[in-house]
């Protein structure tokens, strides 16, 4: 299950619209267009253009109409957003019998707020985009069972393929969160028309978390009298746009294969059928690995 209280989840949720993708909580050098893996587990398993032997590859893109790499100027770009949610609940229980009157009323109000930002460093950022997303959806639908049999994970709905990747030679990100609540109410009891007991209640609390700010990558300082080469600072993946396959589509694809498949003896795929050496190094998109 998704931990909706984690910093990584809140960071992705708040910035998804302004960044037009999923902002990476732990940027790294990993993550390419066509990488297939689990979002919430935090790493990719293989690339669909160069998969393990048991999985068919997709044809590599040969033109800009299929895969385009663009260098875009940053010009002070900063993805930032603020989210807030307010809720309130009121209730009362008036009664009016001849002997006893009980009146209870209360109000509960709460609010949550968060702010986040992500700033790409350097003069420009690189955006790689694959324009035939339907091929990725079809690939997941046709080979879903084979993939999860080798690399099982408790939240299979997070299986995805990266369609777009934004990389930058530097980044700075931050997140701040706050919660508050207020409770007020009253209780009154009357016996035979005579007030005998009355109490009021008021309580408020607020919790503010400090800003979580981090910048990178961390590059060693050059030796005195020298300068770093242009490629000394590696590019880091900071935003990704994944392609998922919905459960209903998986069921439709499975039924279609059963209808059209020839009659043959059943076969099974075990966890040892795919080489584990094809797995890539972790790329932390969420908090499942780190927290």
């Amino acid at each position: 299950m998704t931990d909706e209280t984690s910093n990584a989840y809140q960071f992705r949720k708040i910035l998804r619209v302004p960044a037009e993708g999923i902002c990476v909580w732990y940027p790294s050098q990993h993550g390419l267009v066509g990488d297939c893996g689990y979002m919430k587990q935090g790493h990719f398993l293989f690339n669909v253009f160069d998969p393990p032997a048991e999985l068919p590859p997709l044809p590599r893109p040969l033109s800009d109409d299929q895969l385009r790499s663009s260098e875009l100027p940053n010009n002070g770009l900063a993805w930032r957003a603020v989210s807030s949610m307010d809720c309130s609940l009121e209730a009362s229980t008036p009664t009016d019998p001849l002997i006893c009157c009980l009146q209870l009323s209360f109000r509960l109000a709460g609010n949550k707020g968060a702010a986040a930002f992500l700033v790409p460093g350097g003069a420009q950022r690189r955006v790689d985009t694959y324009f035939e997303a339907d091929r990725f959806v079809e690939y997941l639908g046709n080979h879903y069972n084979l993939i999860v049999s080798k690399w099982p994970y408790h939240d299979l709905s997070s299986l995805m393929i990266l369609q777009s990747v934004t990389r930058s030679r530097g980044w700075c990100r931050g997140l701040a969160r706050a919660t508050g609540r207020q409770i007020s109410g009253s209780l009154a009891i009357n016996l035979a028309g005579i007030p005998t007991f009355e109490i009021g209640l008021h309580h408020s609390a607020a919790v503010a978390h400090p800003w979580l700010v981090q910048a990178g990558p961390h590059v060693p300082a050059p030796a005195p009298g020298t300068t770093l080469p242009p490629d000394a600072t590696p590019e880091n993946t900071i935003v990704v746009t994944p392609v998922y396959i919905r459960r209903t589509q998986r069921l439709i694809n499975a039924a279609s294969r059963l209808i059209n498949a020839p009659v043959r003896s059943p076969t099974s795929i075990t966890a040892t059928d795919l080489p584990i050496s094809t797995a890539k190094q972790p790329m932390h998109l969420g908090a499942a690995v780190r927290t």
Side-chain angles (χ1 to χ4, degrees):
M1 299 296 292
T2 302
D3 183 5
E4 298 185 0
T5 63
S6 67
N7 293 325
Y9 177 86
Q10 294 296 326
F11 186 70
R12 296 195 304 264
K13 178 182 176 181
I14 295 172
L15 293 179
R16 185 154 193 165
V17 172
E20 298 182 346
I22 298 177
C23 292
V24 180
W25 181 244
Y26 295 113
S28 77
Q29 300 178 45
H30 306 289
L32 300 173
V33 168
D35 278 355
C36 179
Y38 294 111
M39 174 68 186
K40 300 176 182 65
Q41 196 175 17
H43 67 84
F44 296 102
L45 309 171
F46 62 90
N47 193 283
V48 295
F49 301 119
D50 186 22
E54 286 77 4
L55 286 166
L58 281 180
R60 288 187 175 275
L62 300 177
S63 67
D64 288 346
D65 293 335
Q66 295 176 303
L67 177 61
R68 184 176 304 167
S69 182
S70 305
E71 299 285 346
L72 303 179
N74 288 330
N75 293 335
L77 172 68
W79 295 298
R80 56 191 181 273
V82 177
S83 70
S84 63
M85 181 181 68
D86 295 289
C87 63
S88 63
L89 175 66
E90 298 185 29
S92 61
T93 58
T95 59
D96 191 17
L98 295 178
I99 299 178
C100 175
C101 177
L102 169 66
Q103 289 186 320
L104 169 65
S105 64
F106 72 91
R107 182 179 185 273
L108 170 64
N111 60 78
K112 295 181 180 180
F117 69 86
L118 175 61
V119 181
Q124 58 189 12
R125 65 194 184 280
R126 180 162 62 91
V127 182
D128 298 330
T129 304
Y130 184 71
F131 293 100
E132 298 182 348
D134 290 345
R135 289 179 177 264
F136 287 168
V137 174
E138 183 180 3
Y139 191 93
L140 286 175
N142 292 338
H143 309 293
Y144 179 86
N145 291 335
L146 180 59
I147 296 172
V148 300
S149 68
K150 171 57 185 175
W151 294 287
Y153 185 56
H154 66 271
D155 189 351
L156 301 181
S157 63
S158 63
L159 184 64
M160 66 177 186
I161 300 176
L162 294 188
Q163 178 196 0
S164 178
V165 175
T166 300
R167 301 171 69 86
S168 175
R169 294 193 181 277
W171 51 270
C172 181
R173 59 114 167 113
L175 173 70
R177 303 163 62 185
T179 58
R181 64 181 182 274
Q182 187 177 50
I183 304 172
S184 59
S186 63
L187 172 64
I189 299 177
N190 298 324
L191 294 177
I194 303 175
T196 58
F197 184 80
E198 185 172 351
I199 186 172
L201 171 66
H202 180 80
H203 175 74
S204 62
V207 178
H209 302 276
W211 276 96
L212 300 175
V213 179
Q214 187 175 8
H218 301 289
V219 180
T226 64
T227 58
L228 292 174
D231 58 350
T233 305
E235 289 185 334
N236 282 249
T237 299
I238 57 174
V239 181
V240 298
T241 302
V243 170
Y244 299 92
I245 181 171
R246 298 185 182 276
R247 182 175 182 271
T248 54
Q249 185 62 47
R250 296 200 303 267
L251 294 176
I252 293 173
N253 291 343
S256 177
R257 288 194 298 271
L258 288 175
I259 294 173
N260 299 322
V263 178
R264 61 181 180 180
S265 58
T267 59
S268 61
I269 300 172
T270 64
T272 59
D273 289 334
L274 297 180
I276 192 63
S277 59
T278 59
K280 293 185 178 294
Q281 295 295 323
M283 172 191 169
H284 299 285
L285 299 179
V289 173
R290 293 292 185 92
T291 60

